[in-house]
Amino acid sequence: MAIAGTTPIEEQVLVDLSLWLARVMQYSASHPACAQLAEKTHRTLTRALAASSPLTFGVLAEDIVIGDVTARHPAIRARLAPHLHARGLLLLRFAHGVAVSELTDLVELLTLPSETIYDRGGIVRLAMERGIVRVQIEEIAHEVTTEERNLQKRRKRLRDFFRDMLRNLIAERSVDVVLREQLGELLEHPDIASAILEEDTVGIAEAAAGFALMVQKEAKSRGLDLAPKLRDVLLALAPHSKDRLVIGFPAQVGEFRAALAWAFEEFTESDLGRFLLPAVRAHAADLDAVLYAINAAVPSEGRRFAALRWLGSALFDLPADDPAAAEALAQIARPVAGYESFRAERECLQEHAVRAIASRAFFALPAADAIAAPIISVAPGPRDPVSIFPMSAPPAMRTSSMPPPGSMPPPPVGTAPLPRPAPIVNGRVVVAEVIRIAARSAALGRICRAIPEVVASLVDEGAGDGVVGVVRGLSDAMRLDTSGVAASALREVGTSASSSRILDEIDTSSASVEDEELADMVATVNLVVLHSPEVAVQRLETTENRKMRRVLLDALPLAGDALLPFVRARLRAPEWYVARNAVLLLSRCGGTTHDLAGVARYPNEKVRLEVARALRVIPPDQVAMDIAASYLTDSSHDVSQAARVVLRGDLLGVGAIATLEAVAADDAQSEELRRRIVETLGHSPNDAAAAALFKLIHPRGLLEMGASSQIRDAAAVALHGSQAPSAAARFEEALHSTTWRVRKACERAMGKT
């Protein structure tokens, strides 16, 4: 495969787009595993547009034309070109200034099935609806044949049928024979059924449970074995849909949960392993939710562990050049602590992940080293994890379960014995003990005076563990020192010019440490944060170590008000993760809602979600209510849900009241949200809220949606109980209105309150 250094920049754009699209097809556009590829694609495209704008690509069935030259990269010809051509793209043109959000919207559209794109009017129409302006698309003038038109009608008919059936199930209504025939037709076409289930990825667990309940009732009433066909539908789901289905299983209740469990009973152990893999891979850093869902879905212990072993064998097939896959393997392979829940399941997965990492390390060795370093297999104990690593593997990959050198089997005949590793000296322990000894003698002052020079030397030599030992030793010496020299030396370590390099050393070594050693490193980070907060904030921006990010985010609030200037300067950073961390820290170090107002409309939904969460921590005021009100109709479901919790009627200002009134009057919004807004307005002492409720009571036309009368009744109740000065007069006016609907709503409100 060609690499970036030998590939023209225009072609490299397509290569990056192909990799990004493949990752999104596996996860989702908003998944953290896709963020790096999104940013990389945008950077490459920006460089290409700087050289030539606009950038135009012609799409063929098995190739893409760049100018007058066809692409040479195999990823473009084998994957990207057929994918784009199947979705009707004829020409793709990028203009200067294209944003990451527009590219993300485009990639989300390209992940849709081709049938869905055609049913919704084509890729050009969908791009226009998304507001994609700097990416121009020309599509094939597709002449719909009679067969395709019939297929579209079938998909639409089955989609409408599924929605009707789901509503009937919720309402516990009977199902007629015609609907039964359509259910059978849906089971005969698992590709259509899976596409219908995936239309709402957020609620796919409920949709799949409802579909399983339909099939279960039909199977019982007609005496048919429909479970295998249901299994085919569920196995046809995309990986990210399987992930959401597994995670959403525990939330199902009653018949819905029982029906989905019945569907899983038809799965073989290998089917279960393949079905559970996307969830385990996506949540490798925090397996509690996944393992809880697995235990709920597969209560049989023997069957559950058989499925986990099948899942573990699939870990060997994860791509070796995928950093996200390597990170997931590393998380699964970490030692299992005694206090962790689902310990047996974790150890089962850990055993396979360790073996997968070992096989990767072995095959990554040069040929000569691979011959000289046979893989060592150790039989596990009853509860002990298995450890198999080549002897030349990095130390971080070896665990305590590695047998001692004397017990290792001899190398194969004809190979030289492997050299014993040199003994490892723990500088953290040694340096800390030297300082403790000095604290019990008269030498502490002399050693403390030399501490800055010692720390600089340790940093120059790359001995980060020694610096951690200095901090640990000085912290212990402070208990015996009455002169204050140990505390003074400790402050000098935190404020020294080497503080940035100290964090660099800790960043490098923290990934492989735990327990007491990690606690000492955390103490060192806390010391640097207290005395050099700007250095710590800069390290947070650049580190790629997840553990280091967690340590820094926990430590930085210790700096208090001194941290605020550095955090505020990063709220509008173009990198979404920098802005998100700044919002997270802002809520912990004395920030205000006025700071959040400047970043509330950030394009990335992760930042907006963090703003909504910060509103719960920062003391609320009118600015907070303005932000929360604007988030109620946010494109992100998580953001809108988080904003509802923040709303308080007693703090509403005129701007928030106007926003809430517009949402409550919008028939396109959910009835539950509109009711929540009406109740919030009713708790406001502001006359503007009373005026808004008065308007909501009155009809806006002769014809109304079904929920409008319910909202009118709720608004009448809220106005009747409102403490606003003008509320009583407005309610009295509405009570004597010439409009019958308004008058009756007020009369009912008087009877309810």
Side-chain angles (χ1 to χ4, degrees):
M1 181 177 292
I3 59 175
T6 59
T7 304
I9 186 66
E10 297 85 357
E11 192 167 333
Q12 186 62 37
V13 171
L14 298 175
V15 174
D16 291 347
L17 181 61
S18 174
L19 295 174
W20 183 18
L21 183 60
R23 181 71 56 80
V24 172
M25 295 285 287
Q26 189 174 25
Y27 293 103
S28 67
S30 59
H31 195 277
C34 305
Q36 293 182 350
L37 286 175
E39 294 168 1
K40 180 183 178 184
T41 304
H42 183 256
R43 287 196 300 269
T44 306
L45 179 59
T46 303
R47 293 200 307 270
L49 290 172
S52 175
S53 179
L55 197 59
T56 304
F57 302 105
V59 181
L60 304 177
E62 296 180 353
D63 206 346
I64 291 181
V65 179
I66 309 172
D68 297 330
V69 182
T70 59
R72 297 174 299 170
H73 201 287
I76 300 174
R77 307 181 68 174
R79 295 201 298 260
L80 185 61
H83 186 92
L84 299 181
H85 185 268
R87 282 146 182 82
L89 272 75
L90 187 63
L91 184 140
L92 190 61
R93 181 182 293 111
F94 297 95
H96 184 73
V98 61
V100 177
S101 58
E102 290 181 297
L103 292 179
T104 303
D105 288 341
L106 175 64
V107 169
E108 286 181 344
L109 293 179
L110 294 178
T111 59
L112 295 174
S114 56
E115 297 85 358
T116 303
I117 292 176
Y118 290 134
D119 288 349
R120 297 182 182 180
I123 190 71
V124 173
R125 179 177 179 180
L126 293 177
M128 292 176 62
E129 291 176 354
R130 289 287 188 108
I132 303 175
V133 296
R134 293 182 178 86
V135 182
Q136 300 175 6
I137 302 172
E138 293 183 12
E139 61 182 345
I140 301 171
H142 185 64
E143 182 178 352
V144 182
T145 63
T146 303
E147 182 180 356
E148 290 174 336
R149 188 177 294 107
N150 292 335
L151 186 60
Q152 289 178 355
K153 291 180 179 179
R154 169 185 286 174
R155 285 197 295 268
K156 184 179 183 303
R157 176 168 50 82
L158 292 178
R159 186 182 298 111
D160 295 339
F161 150 75
F162 178 75
R163 293 173 181 169
D164 292 339
M165 285 285 288
L166 195 57
R167 284 194 293 266
N168 289 338
L169 281 177
I170 296 174
E172 298 183 354
R173 298 170 184 163
S174 60
V175 180
D176 56 30
V177 178
V178 177
L179 295 183
R180 289 177 174 176
E181 294 178 356
Q182 292 176 335
L183 178 61
E185 185 179 2
L186 200 58
L187 289 172
E188 292 297 332
H189 298 85
D191 54 337
I192 298 177
S194 60
I196 293 174
L197 293 177
E198 289 177 325
E199 286 187 350
D200 180 13
T201 56
V202 175
I204 189 173
E206 183 178 9
F211 185 62
L213 183 56
M214 299 176 198
V215 177
Q216 185 183 35
K217 289 187 174 183
E218 181 70 3
K220 288 182 179 180
S221 64
R222 302 181 63 181
L224 300 176
D225 185 15
L226 301 179
K229 295 183 178 181
L230 176 60
R231 178 198 60 195
D232 294 340
V233 172
L234 296 181
L235 289 177
L237 295 173
H240 65 274
S241 299
K242 295 176 181 176
D243 171 24
R244 289 185 177 273
L245 177 55
V246 171
I247 295 297
F249 177 84
Q252 306 306 311
V253 294
E255 290 184 325
F256 277 64
R257 180 167 181 165
L260 198 53
W262 170 77
F264 285 141
E265 290 176 1
E266 182 64 24
F267 283 34
T268 65
E269 285 80 3
S270 60
D271 291 338
L272 279 173
R274 288 186 288 117
F275 196 88
L276 299 173
L277 177 61
V280 171
R281 179 177 176 181
H283 304 277
D286 184 14
L287 286 175
D288 279 344
V290 180
L291 294 176
Y292 174 72
I294 293 175
N295 275 260
V298 191
S300 171
E301 183 175 354
R303 191 162 176 262
R304 181 170 65 252
F305 278 91
L308 290 175
R309 284 190 287 271
W310 276 102
L311 191 158
S313 65
L315 297 177
F316 289 82
D317 298 329
L318 294 180
D321 58 348
D322 185 357
E327 175 69 16
L329 274 178
Q331 291 290 344
I332 299 172
R334 66 175 179 80
V336 181
Y339 59 82
E340 292 187 278
S341 55
F342 309 107
R343 183 180 177 187
E345 287 85 351
R346 289 177 183 273
E347 289 178 346
C348 179
L349 292 176
Q350 189 231 19
E351 172 184 341
H352 290 84
V354 168
R355 292 180 182 273
I357 293 175
S359 63
R360 287 181 174 216
F362 178 75
F363 289 109
L365 292 173
D369 292 342
I371 295 175
I375 293 182
I376 300 170
S377 178
V378 183
R383 301 285 292 178
D384 296 331
V386 173
S387 175
I388 54 165
F389 290 111
M391 285 302 296
S392 58
M397 296 174 57
R398 304 177 190 164
T399 66
S400 58
S401 57
M402 181 75 76
S407 64
M408 293 180 182
V413 178
T415 62
L418 297 173
R420 292 177 180 268
I424 299 175
V425 178
N426 192 327
R428 177 182 65 91
V429 176
V430 172
V431 174
E433 188 60 30
V434 169
I435 297 177
R436 292 191 194 102
I437 294 173
R440 294 190 290 268
S441 64
L444 181 61
R446 179 167 53 86
I447 287 183
C448 287
R449 286 192 295 271
I451 284 297
E453 184 178 352
V454 170
V455 169
S457 300
L458 290 172
V459 172
D460 290 339
E461 295 173 4
D465 57 343
V467 178
V468 174
V470 169
V471 175
R472 168 55 61 193
L474 289 174
S475 300
D476 294 342
M478 287 174 58
R479 304 169 188 169
L480 303 174
D481 177 38
T482 57
S483 61
V485 293
S488 178
L490 202 56
R491 284 194 298 271
E492 290 185 17
V493 173
T495 57
S496 67
S498 303
S499 57
S500 177
R501 298 174 64 188
I502 291 173
L503 291 182
D504 189 22
E505 290 294 331
I506 294 176
D507 192 357
T508 304
S509 57
S510 62
S512 58
V513 300
E514 296 291 343
D515 303 329
E516 182 183 354
E517 188 173 356
L518 179 60
D520 288 345
M521 288 187 174
V522 170
T524 306
V525 173
N526 292 346
L527 178 67
V528 175
V529 165
L530 283 172
H531 300 285
S532 303
E534 184 177 9
V535 172
V537 172
Q538 292 172 351
R539 170 56 52 181
L540 179 62
E541 291 182 8
T542 57
T543 182
E544 297 182 359
N545 184 345
R546 180 176 299 176
K547 184 182 295 184
M548 187 66 177
R549 288 198 297 268
R550 289 199 299 265
V551 170
L552 286 169
L553 287 172
D554 290 339
L556 278 166
L558 298 175
D561 293 342
L563 185 66
L564 272 177
F566 310 115
V567 171
R568 285 170 173 159
R570 289 163 172 79
L571 286 174
R572 297 179 181 273
E575 299 84 3
W576 67 267
Y577 52 87
V578 175
R580 183 196 61 184
N581 290 338
V583 173
L584 178 64
L585 293 172
L586 188 74
S587 62
R588 301 180 182 179
C589 64
T592 66
T593 55
H594 292 278
D595 298 320
L596 294 178
V599 73
R601 306 315 303 171
Y602 199 91
N604 191 286
E605 68 178 54
K606 295 183 177 64
V607 180
R608 301 197 302 276
L609 179 59
E610 202 59 54
V611 171
R613 291 170 176 168
L615 291 176
R616 306 179 190 176
V617 181
I618 295 178
D621 55 13
Q622 287 191 7
V623 177
M625 296 304 104
D626 291 343
I627 298 174
S630 67
Y631 277 177
L632 292 178
T633 55
D634 193 89
S635 57
S636 169
H637 176 75
D638 294 335
V639 174
S640 61
Q641 290 294 322
R644 299 184 187 186
V645 183
V646 180
L647 280 177
R648 286 177 50 178
D650 57 325
L651 296 177
L652 292 177
V654 176
I657 290 173
T659 303
L660 294 179
E661 179 188 349
V663 178
D666 186 1
D667 293 333
Q669 302 298 328
S670 67
E671 183 179 349
E672 187 271 335
L673 174 60
R674 297 169 69 189
R675 282 180 172 272
R676 177 68 178 272
I677 291 174
V678 167
E679 292 174 1
T680 303
L681 291 172
H683 291 97
S684 174
N686 196 316
D687 279 337
L693 291 171
F694 182 77
K695 294 178 184 177
L696 291 173
I697 295 177
H698 286 76
R700 297 183 302 278
L702 295 176
L703 299 177
E704 293 182 326
M705 299 292 290
S708 296
S709 61
Q710 304 295 331
I711 300 303
R712 179 182 297 107
D713 288 346
V717 172
L719 183 60
H720 186 53
S722 174
Q723 299 300 316
S726 63
R730 290 187 180 275
F731 183 82
E732 190 68 21
E733 181 182 349
L735 182 61
H736 296 87
S737 173
T738 58
T739 304
W740 182 84
R741 287 175 288 182
V742 175
R743 193 169 58 253
K744 286 298 181 182
C746 292
E747 292 174 356
R748 287 192 292 269
M750 293 181 64
K752 292 180 179 179
T753 56

